[in-house]
Amino acid sequence: MPDRPTSPWPLPLPPGEEPLMPPLSVWPTGQRDPLAQLRDAGCVPGTETDTERIPPAVAAHAIALYSRPGDLVLDPDCGAGTALVEALRAGRHALGLTARTRWWTLTRANVTAAKTAGAWRDGSVLDARPKVLATVRAAGLIGRVGLVLTALRTAPADPNTQASGPDRDPVESALADLAATLLYCEPLLRSGGHVAVIARPFRHPDGSLVDLTSRLIAAATAAGLAPVERCIALTAGLRGSRLVTRASLAERRAAARARAAGAPTALTAHHEVLVFQLAHDAELAAATAAGIPWPTEDDVIRPAVNGVTYPGWRRAA
C-alpha cells in the first residue's frame, strides 16, 4: 500500500457513468486485543470506557501511512484521545477537540502520559466543539494540518444535544455532524494532507448493515474533498487463514439476541477507513499518474468538477 495514495477522482466521467469505488486495502490491525493495545500505548485507566474510540493500532497505522514526522494531526472529536497519543508517539504534533468534560480530562491525562514516556512533540486538547474550527480562533491552523484523523461517533459532540429520540436516528445524526466537521476541516489541510474517517459497522433494526461508505463519500465530496482510498482495518486477529473476533461481551450478547430473534448477525471484525484529500490535490495526482499535463490557472479555478462545486479549488490557483 503506497504512502501517498493516488486517486482516479475527480476526473471527468462520460455522461451517465458512476464513479468507481476507491481502491481497497486491508490493514492487519487486530493482532492485539483492545485492552492490550491501550496498555501498549500507555493510555491511562478509563480510556477503555470510550467505546467509540479509534483503536490505537488503527490510529498508528493511519498516522504512519498518511502523515510524516513533524506534521500536525487533528482529531476534531477526539473522545479519550487515542489518536492524539499515537500521533505523539509517532513524532507528530497533535490537537484534539471535545466538548465533554469526561473525555477532556482523560485526553489530557493521556497526552501527559505520552509526554512522560518520551514523546517530545506538542500535544493539546481543547474543550470545544468542532464548529470552533470555522471561527477566527482556528485561523492559525489554515493550511497547516497534515492529517485529520477522526471517528464517526453516534454520541453528539455537543453534550447538550440529544443523541437520540423518537424522530432522531443516532447514526443519521452522526453522519450529519461529521459532514459539518469535514466542511470545517477542509480549509485547514495543507497541500498533500489527508483526512481519514474511521467508521465501525452499524446495523439496521432488521440486522442489515448501514451503507456508511456512500454517505461518507458524499459528505466529504460536498466539503471539497476527494476519496483516494477505502480500507478495512481489522479488529479481529489473523490466525493463519482464520479471523479470531475480539468482540466485547456486550456485542456477543447482542448478536445472540439477534440470532434468537431470527436475524443472524455476525460479530464485528473490522472498522472501515475512508481516506480523502483536497479535491485539487487528488486530481493533480491522478493527472500526473496518467501523464496528463498539469492544468493552467484558468483550469484550476474552474467552478466545478463533475458538476459539483468544490470550495478548495480556488486555493490551488
Side-chain angles (χ1 to χ4, degrees):
M1 182 165 35
D3 285 357
R4 294 291 179 268
T6 58
S7 169
W9 275 309
L11 294 176
L13 294 169
E17 238 184 77
E18 293 294 326
L20 300 172
M21 278 292 174
L24 179 65
S25 298
V26 178
W27 298 356
T29 47
Q31 296 300 86
R32 299 276 284 167
D33 68 72
L35 292 181
Q37 289 185 33
L38 293 178
R39 289 194 300 269
D40 293 345
C43 292
V44 300
T47 305
E48 72 282 356
T49 61
D50 179 9
T51 57
E52 296 186 305
R53 67 184 180 272
I54 301 176
V58 175
H61 200 93
I63 290 164
L65 283 176
Y66 304 114
S67 69
R68 56 198 185 200
D71 267 350
L72 173 59
V73 176
L74 168 67
D75 187 344
D77 191 4
C78 66
T82 50
L84 306 189
V85 169
E86 291 302 330
L88 291 172
R89 283 162 48 88
R92 278 68 165 168
H93 301 288
L95 174 63
L97 280 71
T98 180
R100 292 181 170 272
T101 303
R102 178 187 185 187
W103 296 148
W104 183 86
T105 302
L106 275 172
T107 303
R108 288 285 300 172
N110 278 324
V111 167
T112 300
K115 290 183 175 181
T116 302
W120 58 275
R121 293 292 185 182
D122 180 51
S124 57
V125 56
L126 303 181
D127 181 8
R129 295 186 292 275
K131 191 173 182 180
V132 76
L133 297 173
T135 69
V136 70
R137 291 178 60 188
L141 296 177
I142 294 175
R144 291 188 53 207
V145 175
L147 173 64
V148 176
L149 177 60
T150 195
L152 178 67
R153 290 177 171 269
T154 53
D158 183 349
N160 297 318
T161 301
Q162 293 298 319
S164 60
D167 300 318
R168 186 161 187 179
D169 182 339
V171 177
E172 291 296 322
S173 298
L175 287 166
D177 290 343
L178 185 59
T181 299
L182 293 176
L183 191 63
Y184 305 147
C185 290
E186 189 270 350
L188 309 183
L189 277 181
R190 64 165 172 79
S191 181
H194 292 82
V195 175
V197 178
I198 316 297
R200 60 190 177 91
F202 290 95
R203 294 184 181 274
H204 294 291
D206 64 0
S208 60
L209 286 170
V210 178
D211 177 16
L212 297 175
T213 304
S214 58
R215 299 287 300 279
L216 290 171
I217 289 176
T221 300
L225 303 168
V228 294
E229 195 164 10
R230 178 189 177 199
C231 308
I232 297 300
L234 293 178
T235 56
L238 285 170
R239 298 291 184 272
S241 60
R242 296 187 306 111
L243 285 178
V244 180
T245 57
R246 302 190 186 281
S248 66
L249 181 60
E251 290 174 320
R252 293 178 185 277
R253 286 175 174 171
R257 287 194 298 269
R259 285 193 291 269
T265 301
L267 293 172
T268 299
H270 74 280
H271 289 182
E272 186 160 9
V273 185
L274 290 170
V275 183
F276 306 93
Q277 280 188 299
L278 295 170
H280 68 269
D281 281 351
E283 178 157 313
L284 291 178
T288 300
I292 300 172
W294 280 31
T296 65
E297 181 175 339
D298 288 341
D299 294 327
V300 170
I301 62 175
R302 65 185 185 274
V305 177
N306 293 341
V308 179
T309 299
Y310 293 99
W313 268 101
R314 191 160 295 275
R315 181 169 55 200

